[in-house]
Amino acid sequence: METKKKKMKMMTLDQMKDKDIGKIGTAERDIYEFDLRMEVLGDMIKSVRKERKLTQEQLGELIGVQKSQISKLERNTKNVTIETILKVFRALKANVKFSVEINESEFKVAQ
Amino acid sequence: METKKKKMKMMTLDQMKDKDIGKIGTAERDIYEFDLRMEVLGDMIKSVRKERKLTQEQLGELIGVQKSQISKLERNTKNVTIETILKVFRALKANVKFSVEINESEFKVAQ
DNA sequence: TCGTAAGTTTCCATATAATTCAACTTTTTC
DNA sequence: GAAAAAGTTGAATTATATGGAAACTTACGA
């Protein structure tokens, strides 16, 4: 999981704006959906933060952590806890949804 | 976060089947979406596990952990790591998606 | 109502996520 | 192109999630 170039991977919002899933509510709401994967999560934080015109330091203040911590979250150096995710997106006034998709067939009981 | 009765909170799949968001693909696919919150996550695991007709012990075997661990996850005694969530739902052959919703307006820059 | 299977709880160890600080690098601005 | 601002990195520390074992409780079928 370290094969990519690493130089600006920042594709999320821009690319995602196309395959935008939602447009449910009022005028100005955007929804970005993606398979839950660590890498993407980090990008998402960064994207939304930029959308909100905040520096890492400012976001850090909102949450109560150092800018270095935000940097780490965005660059997903690590596995992350749900609480952490919520803390961040709450500060960014973003709503986080989660969905589980099951194919009834797909499952073989035998192991 | 400990005000409820605690006796069978198991509402997820049954209740959720109504406000079913997806129905995207082929015949038998179900999608359950919910606000990311710890409590609900545990219920979701339990629901899907039951859907798959597995005991906690069996699910544990699939993942490589003790049944007590599964119990803990379902009763969300703890905060949880993304990796753990993925491990569990992967074992349950469920696809996990994640979405972030932002209201452009909603944000006041001043703090 | 007994016995078994399923689920829960507690105690404990270990791994690792969260975090800071400070130095460093990159980007931006003038 | 120098100075300032923004972002990154590494080392160290603290907090806590993961996990096992075993004893316990609950559910459930005969």
Side-chain angles (χ1 to χ4, degrees), chain A residues 2-111:
Chain A
E2 215 44 285
T3 340
K4 43 232 160 126
K5 253 168 277 55
K6 214 74 234 242
K7 202 49 175 145
M8 238 328 67
K9 204 179 38 177
M10 189 73 268
M11 49 70 187
T12 34
L13 279 206
D14 302 342
Q15 285 193 8
M16 278 183 178
K17 276 209 154 119
D18 308 332
K19 60 164 205 146
D20 156 341
I21 310 276
K23 284 299 187 223
I24 304 173
T26 41
E28 324 250 290
R29 179 192 290 173
D30 288 329
I31 301 185
Y32 309 101
E33 184 177 65
F34 48 93
D35 278 324
L36 185 50
R37 279 181 4 253
M38 282 305 308
E39 319 93 81
V40 187
L41 241 185
D43 288 341
M44 237 9 235
I45 295 175
K46 183 164 182 173
S47 298
V48 178
R49 173 174 64 79
K50 296 236 148 164
E51 195 98 341
R52 297 320 201 182
K53 303 257 188 293
L54 295 172
T55 67
Q56 293 183 339
E57 191 158 34
Q58 292 172 317
L59 176 54
E61 274 160 31
L62 287 176
I63 302 175
V65 300
Q66 229 54 22
K67 64 181 180 168
S68 59
Q69 180 59 8
I70 303 294
S71 173
K72 280 168 189 167
L73 293 173
E74 292 185 355
R75 325 202 90 231
N76 52 89
T77 345
K78 291 266 168 195
N79 191 1
V80 179
T81 264
I82 293 286
E83 278 296 2
T84 302
I85 295 174
L86 291 178
K87 233 191 304 185
V88 173
F89 285 109
R90 220 180 284 133
L92 290 168
K93 307 270 189 207
N95 241 45
V96 168
K97 291 226 163 75
F98 188 80
S99 69
V100 176
E101 182 189 308
I102 50 188
N103 288 332
E104 309 291 358
S105 43
E106 186 93 61
F107 203 70
K108 33 280 191 183
V109 181
Q111 197 323 46

Side-chain angles (χ1 to χ4, degrees), chain B residues 73-105:
Chain B
L73 293 174
E74 291 186 356
R75 326 203 89 232
N76 49 89
T77 344
K78 293 262 171 201
N79 190 5
V80 180
T81 266
I82 293 286
E83 277 296 0
T84 301
I85 295 174
L86 291 178
K87 235 192 299 185
V88 172
F89 286 107
R90 220 180 283 133
L92 290 168
K93 306 273 191 207
N95 239 46
V96 169
K97 291 227 163 77
F98 187 81
S99 69
V100 175
E101 180 190 309
I102 49 185
N103 287 333
E104 308 291 358
S105 42

